[in-house]
Amino acid sequence: MSSQVVREDSGLDLRERIVDALLTLTEVGFGDYTVELRMDFKTRHPLNGVFASLNEMIAAFGAEQEQSRAFRRELEDKLLIVEKQRAAIRELSTPIIELWEGVLCLPVVGIMDTARSTDMTNALLQAIVVKKTRYTIIDITGIEVMDTRTVDHFMRMAKSIRLLGAECALTGISPHIAQTVVHMGLDIDDIVTHRSLRDALADYVNRRT
Amino acid sequence: MSQPMTRGHVIMHTATFLQQNASVRDSPLEVESSLDLRTELESMTAAAFYPRHLHTELLALLATSRGTGGTGNDPGYTSILRCGAALLSPQNQFSVLLMKVLTPDLFIRKLPRFWQRDHGSSGRCQVEALDSAAHRAHVRLTGVAGYEHIGIFWLGWLGGVLRALTGSAPDVRQTGWSRDDSGPNEISYEVKWS
């Protein structure tokens, strides 16, 4: 009778220990790797070995999780740097130069896309207002490709400039781009063009004197 | 004194329950919840602890939302009960195993540990009396002032687990919570199971 009671007690104790362990393991299941299974050091219970192994595994998961967090932080820092660099490049890609009193020049180099065009227009319109500009020259000597969309960007830019009460001239159209524009039947009649930046500036000075 | 906390898995469960059960027209989580709650939910993890007020806000939304399964004279009350009972659904494989090993008696004895798992040291659960032979127990939650409707949420969970363990509906009655005082500091449960 008494041995049966002992066995039942042991069974109860074993079940309780397993319940305790599983409760802790549910926390591991949630992703909490800071927990530990409680071991009974007073007895040489076979579960101690199992729990010790599980604790090692939890600790390993914890270490991996910490490492993954560190990688993530590193990646986020790098993304922040990339974003800052991108902003700096954006700034550098729209240099607005004050050539003369009331005359601004925007040299465009590279490829125009919608985002860049929007940035350029914003920066240019802002500068026109701040510097009380009367004449704006957009120099496209550095433009490699001119298509309908690029022309459209410039048309919109010129219209916005005129709305602010300033004149707008387009300079530096290469023979290749001129041919393309004609070949594609693009209409740039609304934009005043000059062969070079120098010509545009000379025209402005002549008209002022 | 640090603010009371609740584990992410409890908050996430309640948010999911609300989202899945509230009527689309109401969509309380999108329309009525605070910016703080929505922001926290976006990056919430099951393991971490978050301020208790986030869960309180969700329970309050559940209590007032339509279509969350509430029935009878007090649909808000039954909605929270259902949400509490649904917390029983296995969150991971260990929860499944746990349910297989648990007995009603052991479950009642481990209630303080369950509370501590989900709420850390915020509030306390005590099993004041357990009569294993008569299948009765008296359980008390303390330190839950302002944790509105937790009394009902826990009632639902407690009843749900006992039902799953015994295969029959237990008799669980609470004292402390009422419509007029939905966030008392102390809630008691008289539990009977077969």
Side-chain angles (χ1 to χ4, degrees):
Chain A
M1 178 67 184
S2 67
S3 69
Q4 193 185 344
V5 170
V6 169
R7 260 204 309 279
E8 278 175 2
D9 283 351
S10 311
L12 192 65
D13 177 54
L14 182 67
R15 187 185 278 266
E16 185 164 355
R17 287 197 66 190
I18 289 172
V19 164
D20 279 338
L22 284 171
L23 249 165
T24 305
L25 287 172
T26 57
E27 294 180 86
V28 175
F30 295 147
D32 183 355
Y33 303 121
T34 59
V35 294
E36 226 175 34
L37 301 181
R38 189 175 51 86
M39 288 192 284
D40 183 4
F41 293 106
K42 285 177 192 162
T43 59
R44 297 182 65 184
H45 201 288
L47 273 181
N48 278 350
V50 178
F51 286 3
S53 304
L54 282 169
N55 279 339
E56 274 176 30
M57 218 163 69
I58 295 167
F61 281 146
E64 284 294 326
Q65 191 186 44
E66 194 43 55
Q67 199 174 21
S68 143
R69 275 196 195 127
F71 282 144
R72 197 184 170 138
R73 273 196 296 270
E74 202 178 318
L75 189 66
E76 279 169 357
D77 287 348
K78 280 182 180 165
L79 283 174
L80 200 69
I81 291 170
V82 168
E83 191 43 54
K84 276 183 186 168
Q85 285 173 339
R86 196 175 285 168
I89 289 167
R90 259 204 308 269
E91 192 116 323
L92 290 171
S93 69
T94 51
I96 297 165
I97 307 156
E98 190 170 18
L99 292 178
W100 203 277
E101 196 188 333
V103 182
L104 283 185
C105 174
L106 173 70
V108 184
V109 179
I111 295 163
M112 285 282 284
D113 57 21
T114 309
R116 194 176 172 208
S117 154
T118 309
D119 287 347
M120 273 183 179
T121 309
N122 286 341
L124 189 58
L125 296 181
Q126 196 81 22
I128 287 170
V129 172
V130 171
K131 294 182 189 294
K132 297 186 174 69
T133 305
R134 289 185 297 271
Y135 195 61
T136 310
I137 304 164
I138 302 170
D139 183 64
I140 60 163
T141 313
I143 283 275
E144 293 162 3
V145 188
M146 182 79 117
D147 58 10
T148 358
R149 196 178 287 181
T150 317
V151 171
D152 189 49
H153 289 321
F154 288 124
M155 295 289 285
R156 285 165 190 268
M157 211 183 272
K159 274 182 190 167
S160 306
I161 292 167
R162 277 203 295 271
L163 278 174
L164 290 181
E167 288 178 61
C168 177
L170 193 65
T171 65
I173 300 174
S174 69
H176 174 67
I177 287 179
Q179 270 184 321
T180 312
V181 168
V182 173
H183 180 71
M184 291 171 79
L186 302 173
D187 181 16
I188 57 166
D189 288 351
D190 286 350
I191 305 179
V192 177
T193 55
H194 290 284
R195 187 177 296 170
S196 65
L197 179 59
R198 182 179 163 171
D199 287 351
L201 194 59
D203 177 57
Y204 174 73
V205 173
N206 285 339
R207 281 196 285 129
R208 294 282 296 169
T209 50
Chain B
M1 191 180 152
S2 59
Q3 63 175 327
M5 310 293 267
T6 301
R7 198 155 212 156
H9 91 95
V10 180
I11 303 173
M12 287 159 76
H13 160 78
T14 311
T16 308
F17 183 89
L18 185 63
Q19 209 155 26
Q20 288 174 349
N21 293 278
S23 66
V24 179
R25 202 178 55 178
D26 286 359
S27 52
L29 205 54
E30 287 78 26
V31 180
E32 292 172 55
S33 62
S34 67
L35 181 65
D36 187 22
L37 175 62
R38 289 199 299 273
T39 312
E40 288 283 12
L41 279 172
E42 271 173 29
S43 57
M44 194 169 276
T45 61
F49 284 91
Y50 298 88
R52 178 191 277 178
H53 69 80
L54 298 175
H55 194 221
T56 310
E57 186 182 338
L58 282 166
L59 292 176
L61 285 173
L62 200 53
T64 52
S65 299
R66 282 176 294 178
T68 46
T71 52
N73 293 332
D74 197 346
Y77 177 91
T78 41
S79 289
I80 298 171
L81 266 185
R82 281 188 63 225
C83 181
L87 186 63
L88 169 68
S89 60
Q91 296 108 346
N92 53 54
Q93 277 307 308
F94 297 119
S95 310
V96 179
L97 278 173
L98 184 61
M99 285 304 289
K100 286 183 179 170
V101 181
L102 268 178
T103 60
D105 189 69
L106 205 44
F107 168 64
I108 296 290
R109 273 170 43 207
K110 293 295 164 190
L111 278 174
R113 175 71 180 88
F114 273 105
W115 177 268
Q116 184 250 328
R117 183 194 69 175
D118 293 345
H119 301 89
S121 55
S122 309
R124 195 169 166 215
C125 170
Q126 290 164 276
V127 181
E128 295 194 319
L130 170 62
D131 187 341
S132 301
H135 296 176
R136 295 168 67 131
H138 181 81
V139 180
R140 197 154 65 107
L141 280 187
T142 51
V144 288
Y147 199 169
E148 289 180 19
H149 306 303
I150 187 63
I152 304 308
F153 183 79
W154 231 56
L155 179 70
W157 175 74
L158 201 63
V161 175
L162 281 173
R163 185 195 295 263
L165 293 175
T166 60
S168 60
D171 181 9
V172 189
R173 289 158 199 244
Q174 67 84 25
T175 46
W177 179 93
S178 67
R179 270 282 172 210
D180 295 332
D181 186 12
S182 53
N185 186 49
E186 194 175 310
I187 303 158
S188 295
Y189 299 90
E190 282 297 334
V191 190
K192 286 183 206 165
W193 67 95
S194 53

